[in-house]
Amino acid sequence: MPGFEFFGAEERKEVNDVLETGILMRYGFDGPRKGIWKALELEKAITEVFGCKYAQLTSSGTAALTTAMCALGIGVGDEIIMPAFTFVASFEAVLSVGAIPVLVDIDETLTLSPEAVKAAITPKTKCIMPVHMCGSMADMDALVAICAEHKLILIEDACQSIGGTYKGQALGTIGDAGTFSFDFVKTITCAEGGVVMTNNKDVFVKSDGYTDHGHDHLGVDRGADLHPFIGYNFRISELHAAVGLAQIRKLETFLTIQRKNNKALRAHLETIPEIRYRVVPDEAGDSCSFLSWFLPTETIAKAVVAEFKEQGILAGNFYWFVNNWHYISKWDHLKHATTLNGIGVQQKASLLALQETQFPASDAIMGRCISTAISLLWTDEQIKEKGEKMVAAIQKVLKHSYTNSI
Ligand SMILES: *Cc1c(COP(=O)(O)O)cnc(C)c1O
C-alpha cells in the first residue's frame, strides 16, 4: 500500500535539488531558485499521469478537500451527502467550510450506496461526495447520473485510491473536483501533502488562490498580487513536492506490485468458499492497495480477528467496524459535536441528531468485513506463508462456528 516502503535515492536527489538552492517555498524568489520549481513540476506530472486539466497541490488531503469545497462555493447551511465509512478527514473538511455532513449507508462496494444517496437528497443538498475507500471505487455512473438529475456538485475523495480507475478514467478526475492525499500511509507519499484535481478552470483558479491567502498569482512581484477573495494558507513546500515528484515516477511500479501481491494473497483466501469479496464496479480499475473480504457473519468476523490476534498475524488486517478512525460507530466526538470553539446552530443540531441515526445496512456489511493492506515489500515466500496462516486461522474459526452454530 504505502509509497514509504520504496523511499530511496530518487527521493533524496529531488530533495537535494531544493536544498542546494535553499528556496523551500513554492512561490517567488525566481532568481535564486535557479529554475527549480518542484511543486509546479509535480502538478504538471499529476495532470499527465491522471489525465486531468488542472492540479493544485495543498499541504494535506484534508486541505485539498476543504479547498475543493470552497472553490465550488459550498458553505454554511449546504448539505453534503457522504458515506458513514470513511476516514475522519472527509467530515472534518465538510465542517470546516460550515457545511453539514449528511452521512448515509454504504453498500458492498464499501462506498456510497446510490440508493441511500437518493433517499437523502433534500432542497439543501449541494454536493455528493463519494469516498473511494481502500483502493477501489464507488459506482460512478450511478452517482454522476444522480448529480446530473438533481444539479448537484460531485466531489470525489480519492485520497485512498491513487492509481485506481473507473472505465478508463482516473479516480478523482471524474467529478467537478477530486482529491488525493500524499500523507505517509498513502500509495504515493511526500510525508504531508494533497492535491485538488479538476477539469474546470474556474475551480482551479480559485483553488490556486485559496491555498495561498487569496493571491491572484498574476504578476511577477508577489507583494503586488491582488486578492480577489479571502483565502487561507494550505501551501505545500518545495521539499514535500520534491519527494512527491520522485514518488509519482514510481507509481506504475507500485501499482504493478500491488496488483500482483493482491492477486496472490486472494488466491489463498479463495480456497475458502465461505469468503466473499468486496464488489468492485470496474474490476480492471482496482488499485489493489487493499484486499477487502467478507465473512458470513459479524460473530465469525470478530472470532477471526481474535484468532489472528492470538496467532500474531493481525498486523495489516483492518477490522474497520470497531476502528476509531474510519466508521461512524466510533465517532463519538462527531455525534456529540465536541469542538474546541463555537459552531453554527444548524451544524451542531445536525451532528447531535447522529446520536439517534442508525446505519443497519452499513453495520451488516462492516461487521463482516476485513481489509488486508497489501505491502509492496512482500516476497512470494512471505505471501505464501501469510496466506496459509490466514487460511488456517479462518478455517479453524469456521469449523468451530459450525460445531457450535454461532
Ligand atoms: C488520508 C485521507 C484523507 C486526508 O488526508 P491527509 O493528507 O491525512 O489530510 C482524506 N480522506 C480519506 C478517505 C483519507 O484516507
Side-chain angles (χ1 to χ4, degrees), residues 2-4 182-192 240 243-244 247:
F4 75 73
F182 304 126
D183 81 19
F184 201 52
V185 296
K186 297 304 202 281
T187 304
I188 54 180
T189 182
C190 64
E192 301 288 354
H240 291 83
V243 177
Q247 289 261 306

Side-chain angles (χ1 to χ4, degrees), residues 59-63 65 86-87 89-90 131 133 157 159-160 181-183 186 192-194 326:
S59 49
S60 71
T62 314
L65 285 170
T86 180
F87 180 56
S90 311
V131 183
M133 282 301 274
D157 179 342
C159 290
Q160 289 202 9
S181 160
F182 304 126
D183 81 19
K186 297 304 202 281
E192 301 288 354
H326 294 83

Side-chain angles (χ1 to χ4, degrees), residues 36-261:
I36 305 282
W37 299 90
K38 296 299 179 189
L40 268 184
E41 221 184 310
L42 178 54
E43 282 164 349
K44 184 157 179 285
I46 289 169
T47 60
E48 288 165 4
V49 170
F50 300 103
C52 57
K53 283 199 184 134
Y54 308 99
Q56 176 63 46
L57 286 167
T58 57
S59 49
S60 71
T62 314
L65 285 170
T66 301
T67 300
M69 288 168 197
C70 287
L72 284 156
I74 298 168
V76 171
D78 294 331
E79 292 181 354
I80 300 190
I81 298 177
M82 54 170 285
F85 172 50
T86 180
F87 180 56
V88 291
S90 311
F91 66 68
E92 288 169 355
V94 175
L95 295 175
S96 77
V97 300
I100 293 172
V102 176
L103 301 177
V104 306
D105 274 319
I106 54 149
D107 58 22
E108 289 200 351
T109 63
L110 301 184
T111 68
L112 271 184
S113 149
E115 291 312 311
V117 169
K118 279 189 214 158
I121 293 174
T122 75
K124 286 188 195 159
T125 307
K126 179 109 177 204
C127 172
I128 297 178
M129 181 168 72
V131 183
H132 302 301
M133 282 301 274
C134 306
S136 175
M137 82 251 14
D139 179 347
M140 290 306 287
D141 280 351
L143 296 176
V144 166
I146 296 171
C147 286
E149 186 187 337
H150 297 270
K151 299 200 166 40
L152 300 173
I153 292 166
L154 180 60
I155 295 179
E156 298 172 80
D157 179 342
C159 290
Q160 289 202 9
S161 56
I162 299 173
T165 57
Y166 177 76
K167 300 190 176 172
Q169 276 180 284
L171 300 179
T173 67
I174 300 165
D176 296 287
T179 64
F180 288 153
S181 160
F182 304 126
D183 81 19
F184 201 52
V185 296
K186 297 304 202 281
T187 304
I188 54 180
T189 182
C190 64
E192 301 288 354
V195 67
V196 178
M197 294 176 292
T198 183
N199 292 311
N200 179 329
K201 185 166 185 194
D202 180 59
V203 172
F204 167 67
V205 171
K206 287 175 175 163
S207 298
D208 174 70
Y210 188 75
T211 51
D212 185 26
H213 303 297
H215 276 269
D216 65 7
H217 297 144
L218 290 178
V220 284
D221 176 4
R222 195 172 156 73
D225 275 356
L226 297 179
H227 302 102
F229 51 82
I230 295 172
Y232 213 78
N233 177 5
F234 284 143
R235 289 187 306 256
I236 196 164
S237 83
E238 283 286 279
L239 291 172
H240 291 83
V243 177
L245 200 52
Q247 289 261 306
I248 199 170
R249 293 181 185 134
K250 300 177 179 179
L251 178 63
E252 265 316 307
T253 310
F254 292 174
L255 292 172
T256 306
I257 300 171
Q258 247 169 219
R259 293 194 171 114
K260 176 178 143 288
N261 290 357

